[in-house]
Amino acid sequence: MNKTELVDKVANGAGITKVDAEAAINAFIATVGDALKEGDKVVLKGFGTFEVRERKERVGRNPQTGEAVMIPASKTPAFKASTVLKKSVND
């Protein structure tokens, strides 16, 4: 499902216009992104948790030359599905 299809489903499910549904989805995405930038977690009970995870500096390999390359430490967004969501996917 892409964003356009998601907007259609949300609009139909909530009984709102596609314009309003798209605005709500865009606001949700922006809000989660801002929270993650600030180092906060976003927890949605029954759905999952968005958070930022720290990746340590590590040694990688250049696939063309085999030369060792240092990969710097970084932060990456992550999503952990709730037990309820996992169960609903498996039913």
Side-chain angles (χ1 to χ4, degrees):
M1 177 183 301
N2 62 30
K3 187 174 179 182
T4 303
E5 294 167 339
L6 179 62
V7 167
D8 290 342
K9 293 260 186 186
V10 170
N12 290 334
I16 59 176
T17 66
K18 290 181 185 180
V19 172
D20 290 341
E22 185 171 15
I25 291 169
N26 289 338
F28 172 78
I29 292 168
T31 302
V32 170
D34 291 344
L36 294 178
K37 284 179 192 174
E38 294 173 9
D40 295 334
K41 281 185 181 182
V42 178
V43 180
L44 302 172
K45 285 212 174 246
F47 186 69
T49 303
F50 297 91
E51 63 186 351
V52 175
R53 294 189 183 148
E54 304 273 339
R55 296 188 67 164
K56 295 179 183 177
E57 183 178 56
R58 61 199 187 281
V59 177
R61 297 260 176 224
N62 181 330
Q64 292 180 334
T65 65
E67 177 185 358
V69 179
M70 286 305 295
I71 301 171
S74 64
K75 296 178 182 178
T76 186
F79 175 75
K80 181 179 178 188
S82 73
T83 305
V84 174
L85 179 59
K86 289 178 188 177
K87 187 176 178 182
S88 71
V89 169
N90 286 308
D91 285 344

